[in-house]
Amino acid sequence: MILPSLFLAVVPSSPASAAPQCTKRGETIAGDNAGGMLWAPVAANGSTTCQMGSGSVSSAVGALQHSLKYCYGKSISEDNNFGPATKSALQSVQRQIGADDDGVYGPETRGKMVFSAVGTSRKTACYELP
């Protein structure tokens, strides 16, 4: 008697609603009467629910770097290049804010981070995105 063999393949799935790539720096009015704008990574459609990681080069990366530097005290360049220093700084912040420390900026990190308000009449302040 020959028994049929059982083969089980596990294929990782990608979510149907995966966040689009962050491609530019967006500005939104800062909360609490900050009198300035928040710089935040945004997708081409203007959504702040986007993602980016190592190898990304855009003003969205610069917006992230600005907040990592001014809101979290990370010593990184604001060069619009998501390289090893940006990834390391982001992982450190992700651990600090209780997000998955995968070094990828995405919806979970966006929802837990604060971002730098620029153009205020007072020194830089940091706020959650609305």
Side-chain angles (χ1 to χ4, degrees), residues 22 41 48-52 64 67-68 72 82 86-87 89-115 127-129:
C22 302
T48 59
T49 302
C50 56
Q51 62 186 10
M52 63 184 162
L64 174 65
S67 290
L68 292 172
Y72 295 96
F82 201 123
T86 299
K87 181 178 179 177
L90 180 60
Q91 286 175 305
S92 173
V93 169
Q94 286 173 322
R95 286 188 292 274
Q96 180 182 339
I97 63 176
D100 185 15
D101 64 346
D102 57 4
V104 174
Y105 175 87
E108 179 192 19
T109 300
R110 175 250 188 254
K112 294 181 178 185
M113 266 187 76
V114 293
F115 297 84
Y127 299 90
E128 293 178 348
L129 284 175

Side-chain angles (χ1 to χ4, degrees), residues 49-65:
T49 302
C50 56
Q51 62 186 10
M52 63 184 162
S54 294
S56 295
V57 178
S58 70
S59 60
V61 177
L64 174 65
Q65 291 169 329

Side-chain angles (χ1 to χ4, degrees), residues 8 28 39 71 73 87-89 119:
L8 176 64
T28 185
W39 280 3
C71 297
K87 181 178 179 177
S88 178

